[in-house]
């Protein structure tokens, strides 16, 4: 049975909030940039799961205007992808999961890598989150 996850594209102006995953070889995409979110628990809808995960991971309550962007299934994981504006400054968020977080430009997303001030080097974007964001930028006419 596939794992189901709910993840969020959080955008502010023309940038996207990304999480640098922990540098732990036992997780998927260690030390890669990815989207915030996580596993859907038993009895949860994807909508409830994404709200819970974002609150747990960065202390952010999704605005009521959040919406479903799409689904990205592969051989192991079924990803429910939501999108919402990030209505607070980065310094108002509390990183409770992951190594670092950053607002990335469309150029960072296209290049597939971005600098982390915590790891003090350039880290790659995980391939699936990069594809999701490229699709989102294309759909929403993101410039740069």
């Amino acid at each position: 049975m596939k794992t189901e996850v709910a993840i969020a594209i959080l955008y502010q102006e023309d940038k996207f909030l990304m999480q640098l995953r922990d540098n732990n070889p036992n997780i998927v995409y260690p030390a890669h940039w990815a989207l915030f979110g996580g596993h859907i628990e038993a009895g949860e809808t994807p909508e409830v799961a994404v709200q819970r995960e974002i609150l747990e991971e960065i202390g952010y309550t999704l605005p009521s205007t959040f919406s479903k962007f799409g689904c990205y299934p592969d051989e192991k994981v079924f990803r429910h992808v939501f999108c919402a504006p990030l209505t607070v400054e980065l310094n108002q968020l509390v990183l409770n999961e992951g190594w670092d977080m950053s607002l990335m430009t469309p150029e960072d997303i296209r290049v597939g890598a971005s600098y982390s001030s915590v790891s003090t080097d350039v880290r790659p974007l995980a391939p699936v989150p990069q594809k999701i964001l490229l699709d989102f930028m294309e759909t929403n006419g993101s410039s740069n």
Side-chain angles (χ1 to χ4, degrees):
M1 189 166 145
K2 286 187 182 186
T3 299
E4 285 198 64
V5 299
I7 55 180
I9 298 167
L10 298 173
Y11 54 87
Q12 190 171 76
E13 294 169 4
D14 205 20
K15 294 182 179 177
F16 303 93
L17 184 65
M18 301 292 287
Q19 173 197 51
L20 183 58
R21 293 176 58 79
D22 288 315
N23 192 11
N24 175 345
N26 300 318
I27 63 171
V28 178
Y29 301 129
H32 282 64
W33 291 104
L35 296 167
F36 284 97
H39 291 90
I40 298 172
E41 294 179 358
E44 270 187 329
T45 64
E47 290 78 8
V48 168
V50 74
Q51 291 175 81
R52 176 187 50 76
E53 285 286 342
I54 298 305
L55 188 58
E56 287 175 3
E57 292 183 359
I58 57 174
Y60 181 63
T61 301
L62 288 179
S64 59
T65 57
F66 84 93
S67 61
K68 187 126 187 199
F69 174 65
C71 295
Y72 285 77
D74 64 24
E75 59 283 347
K76 294 180 182 174
V77 181
F78 191 96
R79 293 170 185 85
H80 299 267
V81 182
F82 296 88
C83 58
L86 181 65
T87 60
V88 299
E89 296 301 315
L90 197 58
N91 64 7
Q92 292 179 266
L93 302 174
V94 178
L95 184 65
N96 295 314
E97 186 173 307
W99 198 7
D100 194 6
M101 65 179 162
S102 179
L103 285 167
M104 289 193 189
T105 66
E107 183 59 26
D108 295 329
I109 310 284
R110 288 189 192 96
V111 168
S114 185
Y115 180 79
S116 164
S117 60
V118 175
S119 69
T120 66
D121 59 2
V122 173
R123 294 288 170 163
L125 265 70
V128 174
Q130 182 186 27
K131 162 101 175 90
I132 291 168
L133 284 168
L134 289 170
D135 290 351
F136 183 82
M137 290 185 321
E138 185 175 313
T139 302
N140 292 282
S142 207
S143 59
N144 294 359

